[in-house]
Amino acid sequence: MFAALDLGTNNCRLLIVSSGQRGGRIIDNYNRVVRLGEGLYDTGLLSDAAMDRTLIALHHCAARIHRRKSYNLYAVATEACRRASNASSFLDRVKQETGLNINVISPREEVELAVCGCRTFLHDKVLRRNRTKTLLFDIGGGSTEIAWVRIDPVKRKQTLIGCCSIPVGVITLKEQFKKLTLNEYYQMVDFVMNKINHFERIHQIRAEILREQVQFIGVSGTVTALASMILKQPKYSRAAIDGLLLDTTQVKDMIRHILVSKFNKIYDYATVHHSKLHYLLPGCAIFEAIHTIWPVEDIVVADRGIRDGIITSMQENKLTKNNRHNFNLPHFLVKN
């Protein structure tokens, strides 16, 4: 058994996979919105309410892991715990109460795991369309990671040319642009563009796009939600979304529809309830900023990321036992 836990700014995710001679099989897949980073932009601290919500989810994760007789576990935390001044005390509390030892990873480690998790798409000839480079982005709750990757189709290997992490995610943008008017939406787009322009100046990715050498992969709840809405799914289906190839014009058209619906108070679109627009619209603004600078004509939608990268790395022994984090249940949770 291989278990990967990703504690993000917005979500807490657990993936457990059974690995055998016939390949991997998903045993458990858990995802809860915990909003750990709520209020962090203003205070620099994880709030008591956010920590309590997150601990409830982590107790569920611990119980799910403990059901397995044998497992390899690696648990990570990202931007909220990188930024909050009280993160270390919170993670100590998590370890004491749940037994989960969570490691705060760097932005580069986060990018590398996301790339590793999407490796299947990097080398898929149909999706790649003979393109030699990949631009992968992951819109999170507290940050957005961008990876610029070179593909070797013969050796089926990828090389990370460069990466950047901007401290801008759906929660941080929502808290920074509180009114969320149509004017503020476009201010968010400009704000994000200013954050990533430096990466474009260094790597000249737009020139590669004009030569039709770039594959575009979107890893985030924002992109998967937009894809689900484009397909008009009555209920979200990962099987239909993961690996879906869309024209970016379809994505932009859906964003326009959401904006019109939101600001004219027309709630007629599928899957995403209007109360969730406070988090979806900042994600849309981040996507628009990325695509404005890098106008790739199509996008691979990936319902995968850090957890999948962790599982793949453990299966290939790139994460050794010394690097994995033990899971020691507190005495009051140990079964007799």
Side-chain angles (χ1 to χ4, degrees):
M1 296 286 181
F2 295 93
L5 190 149
D6 170 20
L7 179 58
T9 304
N10 198 37
N11 291 72
C12 176
R13 300 181 176 96
L14 172 70
L15 180 65
I16 302 177
V17 172
S18 172
S19 183
Q21 292 182 345
R22 296 183 180 180
R25 182 168 63 94
I26 294 177
I27 301 298
D28 202 350
N29 189 4
Y30 176 85
N31 184 1
R32 286 292 180 275
V33 175
V34 295
R35 304 191 310 279
L36 178 61
E38 191 172 60
L40 179 60
Y41 177 81
D42 292 324
T43 67
L45 297 168
L46 303 176
S47 71
D48 290 339
M51 290 188 287
D52 289 343
R53 282 194 304 267
T54 304
L55 267 166
I56 292 171
L58 291 172
H59 274 291
H60 284 299
C61 292
R64 287 166 179 255
I65 295 167
H66 185 49
R67 292 175 196 156
R68 316 299 165 190
K69 293 181 180 179
S70 177
Y71 52 80
N72 297 270
L73 169 68
Y74 192 60
V76 302
T78 54
E79 183 66 17
C81 289
R82 285 197 290 259
R83 190 185 304 183
S85 57
N86 61 340
S88 60
S89 61
F90 169 64
L91 294 179
D92 288 342
R93 180 185 167 194
V94 168
K95 185 175 181 180
Q96 181 179 4
E97 292 189 18
T98 70
L100 292 166
N101 189 7
I102 301 178
N103 180 40
V104 181
I105 58 174
S106 69
R108 184 178 179 88
E109 288 174 296
E110 187 174 353
V111 169
E112 289 174 344
L113 287 171
V115 170
C116 184
C118 293
R119 192 170 61 187
T120 300
F121 300 150
L122 295 175
H123 299 285
D124 187 304
K125 290 182 180 180
V126 175
L127 297 177
R128 189 168 51 80
R129 299 186 178 187
N130 296 318
R131 296 167 186 171
T132 58
K133 305 281 178 58
T134 293
L135 183 67
L136 180 147
F137 66 92
D138 184 354
I139 302 171
S143 65
T144 295
E145 278 66 44
I146 298 170
W148 181 226
V149 184
R150 180 183 295 111
I151 307 299
D152 185 334
V154 177
K155 296 181 180 179
R156 290 185 63 83
K157 291 184 177 181
Q158 64 278 345
T159 303
L160 186 62
I161 303 170
C163 63
C164 72
S165 176
I166 59 172
V168 176
V170 297
I171 288 183
T172 51
L173 270 188
K174 175 183 175 293
E175 294 183 351
Q176 188 170 354
F177 295 87
K178 300 182 187 298
K179 294 181 181 179
L180 202 58
T181 61
L182 186 59
N183 183 53
E184 278 202 334
Y185 175 82
Y186 288 108
Q187 287 179 19
M188 286 192 289
V189 175
D190 291 339
F191 178 78
V192 177
M193 286 178 64
N194 288 332
K195 295 283 186 183
I196 58 179
N197 266 322
H198 181 65
F199 193 70
E200 161 61 18
R201 287 194 294 270
I202 292 173
H203 295 287
Q204 300 294 304
I205 297 169
R206 193 181 180 96
E208 294 289 322
I209 293 171
L210 294 175
R211 288 194 286 268
E212 299 184 349
Q213 290 299 304
V214 181
Q215 175 194 35
F216 205 31
I217 299 180
V219 183
S220 73
T222 296
V223 178
T224 56
L226 289 170
S228 181
M229 295 165 72
I230 289 168
L231 295 184
K232 298 182 179 178
Q233 292 183 333
K235 184 178 180 181
Y236 183 82
S237 169
R238 182 182 187 273
I241 297 297
D242 190 38
L244 179 67
L245 183 66
L246 291 173
D247 289 340
T248 46
T249 54
Q250 293 176 276
V251 182
K252 299 290 281 291
D253 287 345
M254 178 53 69
I255 293 173
R256 298 281 83 72
H257 177 63
I258 293 170
L259 289 172
V260 169
S261 302
K262 160 68 176 175
F263 295 108
N264 288 290
K265 295 182 168 45
I266 303 170
Y267 304 122
D268 63 345
Y269 39 86
T271 67
V272 178
H273 190 269
H274 68 270
S275 63
K276 295 183 179 179
L277 284 177
H278 290 300
Y279 294 106
L280 181 60
L281 282 177
C284 291
I286 295 171
F287 173 83
E288 287 221 61
I290 292 170
H291 189 258
T292 300
I293 294 176
W294 299 304
V296 185
E297 65 181 15
D298 49 46
I299 181 171
V300 180
V301 181
D303 188 347
R304 56 182 68 198
I306 293 175
R307 293 177 305 165
D308 304 85
I310 290 171
I311 297 291
T312 300
S313 297
M314 286 196 291
Q315 288 174 330
E316 297 178 352
N317 291 318
K318 290 180 180 178
L319 281 172
T320 66
K321 289 184 177 180
N322 290 333
N323 289 330
R324 298 172 201 171
H325 286 249
N326 295 325
F327 174 47
N328 299 311
L329 282 172
H331 67 88
F332 52 85
L333 289 179
V334 176
K335 296 180 180 178
N336 295 325

